[in-house]
Amino acid sequence: MCGPGERKCPVLEGAMAAAWSRPAGLNVHTFISDISFGQGFLDPLPSGEPFSAPSPLRDWGSLAHLPSVLCGASVLIHGTVGKGTDITYGLRRLGALRPRDSISQLVTQKFREVTMDLTPMHARHKAVAGIVMTQGLDARQAQVVALSSGTKCISGEHLSDQGLVVNDCHAEVVARRAFLHFLYTQLELHLSKRREDSERSIFVRLKEGGYRLRENILFHLYVSTSPCGDARLHSPHEITTDLHSSKHLVRKFRGHLRTKIESGEGTVPVRGPSAVQTWDGVLLGEQLITMSCTDKIARWNVLGLQGALLSHFVEPVYLQSIVVGSLHHTGHLARVLSHRMEGVGQLPASYRHNRPLLSGVSDAEARQPGKSPPFSVNWVVGSVDLEIVNTTTGRRSCGGPSRLCKHVLSARWARLYGRLSTRTPSPGDTPSMYCEAKLGAHTYQSVKQQLFKAFQKAGLGTWVRKPPEQQQFLLTL
Ligand SMILES: [Zn+2]
């Protein structure tokens, strides 16, 4: 569309000119860009199209002179120049022209609405995350499907060998688990004999087996603050337009895989080649290690959000965009959330190296002062109840398991297995153990290994796994 020799797109050209204050002649690769007008969005521009910066180049002052169609629109552009230097500057400024209807506003408002009846103590939060579903890029059809808050992880002594706890209660991780809850509900609609029910599902059945998202169904993640790990650590508060300054930054451990530390909120680079923690070690007081949110999101950009279990039924589900509230630097986010995995290589059919559109929020919520609350809240569209999880125990306050724990979600999986169509013919018996069910998703597992190897090969460290014992429980119906 906007590549050299192709039809010019005046709006994009205008936006790029505004975003671009570098000498002409450099090639800009737009990964994903979309432009929205008033109530709806235009078709997204093709990913990876080369685009030459127009000349003469304008400065920010020229924003006022952009084509009138841009008034009241938000323009999000994300790409790189040369070797990984970013061209995302235009994004915040132009995005600021139309904050309402944005993904961040939808999530923040919904969070306020669903936590209205909570005690002030439980409504208090340091980080909020949410997943929004759209049909195409039409903002009018946007719907929040999963919400969460939280910044802490379980303490090691509460690990469960029955899958009864939620280990990681950082908002974005809980939002993904709440999203899994939503995906199960959508698949369960296909169990019904009534055609109307399966027609309501976001999934359609494939002739060759399994299910795929209906055309045009897109998902967007909002996190109120930069994901912990490398995204937050190396994210300057101010966007710098100096292309050369970043070269001189200290780069040791830049882009390195990092882990959350138990009962704290910071992260440290992964140590050594050992990728597995031991159950007895953790019970004896060894620190429980959990991968940072930056790394987990990076992983979703290759493996999808659906995880191993749902991969038996559905094609990978990727994020169309990620919107970050405070402490963001979209260029750096792009580096750590997608560019780091360039070496992942060829992926099997339906998997891809997803490069979501990345965006910041111009009027991000101010940082919440005070200590982080030891609770995490989760909400899923369609279920009235809000759930509060104690982040130290990984269970509900009453001691019962969360609806998002491995045990409860895998029970839903077991009820579907054998009754719903799978993507590859099932080898026979229903797995009896949780770990078997996960390992049975062969393609997913091989892509995961490919991703871990890519991180190692890039010198970014080894992905650390939880003790295997926590996956060795019997599936229940
Ligand atoms: Zn985190």
Side-chain angles (χ1 to χ4, degrees), residues 246-394:
S246 60
K247 277 188 193 158
H248 307 299
L249 288 176
V250 181
R251 282 179 181 266
K252 198 184 175 195
F253 289 133
R254 195 161 190 173
H256 212 82
L257 294 173
R258 300 180 72 88
T259 61
K260 298 164 186 173
I261 52 168
E262 190 181 326
S263 50
E265 281 173 74
T267 58
V268 291
V270 291
R271 291 167 302 178
S274 164
V276 186
Q277 305 172 71
T278 61
W279 186 268
D280 31 3
V282 172
L283 291 185
L284 275 174
E286 218 174 75
Q287 278 222 342
L288 180 68
I289 293 174
T290 306
M291 296 304 294
S292 73
C293 293
T294 301
D295 298 326
K296 288 189 175 180
I297 297 173
R299 171 183 165 137
W300 303 340
N301 280 331
V302 172
L303 285 163
L305 292 162
Q306 78 295 333
L309 290 189
L310 280 172
S311 304
H312 284 273
F313 305 113
V314 303
E315 289 187 345
V317 175
Y318 293 103
L319 288 169
Q320 174 75 12
S321 69
I322 300 176
V323 183
V324 176
S326 59
L327 299 179
H328 70 275
H329 178 293
T330 28
H332 180 59
L333 281 174
R335 261 194 303 276
V336 295
L337 299 182
S338 45
H339 301 191
R340 273 193 306 170
M341 297 88 79
E342 290 301 349
V344 74
Q346 194 80 26
L347 295 168
S350 80
Y351 284 88
R352 64 172 196 262
H353 178 188
N354 181 50
R355 294 174 178 89
L357 185 150
L358 298 168
S359 153
V361 176
S362 53
D363 54 350
E365 221 181 40
R367 223 162 57 86
Q368 311 275 323
K371 278 176 90 175
S372 298
F375 300 101
S376 161
V377 163
N378 72 74
W379 173 91
V380 191
V381 70
S383 40
V384 249
D385 296 337
L386 194 70
E387 192 184 74
I388 301 168
V389 173
N390 176 320
T391 55
T392 312
T393 62

Side-chain angles (χ1 to χ4, degrees), residues 127 150-153 168-173 225-229 232 260 265 267 291-294 296-297:
T151 53
K152 295 193 167 184
C153 283
D168 183 341
C169 281
H170 284 225
E172 46 278 66
V173 172
T225 184
S226 228
C228 66
R232 189 179 303 160
K260 298 164 186 173
E265 281 173 74
T267 58
M291 296 304 294
S292 73
C293 293
T294 301
K296 288 189 175 180
I297 297 173

Side-chain angles (χ1 to χ4, degrees), residues 52-204:
S52 292
S55 181
L57 297 164
R58 298 171 223 177
D59 58 21
W60 285 113
S62 67
L63 266 181
H65 307 294
L66 280 177
S68 59
V69 284
L70 264 182
C71 293
S74 63
V75 176
L76 306 173
I77 295 168
H78 149 227
T80 57
V81 182
K83 278 195 180 156
T85 312
D86 319 292
I87 170 84
T88 42
Y89 315 111
L91 199 132
R92 278 217 306 188
R93 303 286 183 103
L94 293 169
L97 295 175
R98 185 174 167 265
R100 78 196 154 81
D101 291 343
S102 66
I103 304 296
S104 64
Q105 295 269 320
L106 277 169
V107 171
T108 324
Q109 269 165 22
K110 193 80 192 174
F111 189 83
R112 231 175 271 143
E113 192 187 308
V114 302
T115 54
M116 217 154 61
D117 296 332
L118 290 182
T119 60
M121 180 179 78
H122 286 134
R124 207 159 67 81
H125 61 270
K126 276 263 189 182
V128 169
I131 294 180
V132 173
M133 177 170 77
T134 58
Q135 287 176 23
L137 287 165
D138 186 346
R140 285 169 301 183
Q141 307 285 333
Q143 186 186 18
V144 182
V145 295
L147 275 177
S148 62
S149 69
T151 53
K152 295 193 167 184
C153 283
I154 192 177
S155 119
E157 77 241 42
H158 292 288
L159 269 187
S160 165
D161 58 4
Q162 295 298 315
L164 291 166
V165 299
V166 178
N167 292 327
D168 183 341
C169 281
H170 284 225
E172 46 278 66
V173 172
V174 177
R176 187 197 73 110
R177 296 194 78 81
F179 181 63
L180 294 180
H181 185 293
F182 167 73
L183 294 185
Y184 275 110
T185 309
Q186 294 299 313
L187 268 181
E188 283 156 3
L189 288 170
H190 283 273
L191 287 178
S192 164
K193 292 209 165 57
R194 291 173 5 154
R195 228 175 101 192
E196 310 91 90
D197 287 332
S198 55
E199 278 169 2
R200 272 194 297 134
S201 172
I202 57 165
F203 292 112
V204 281

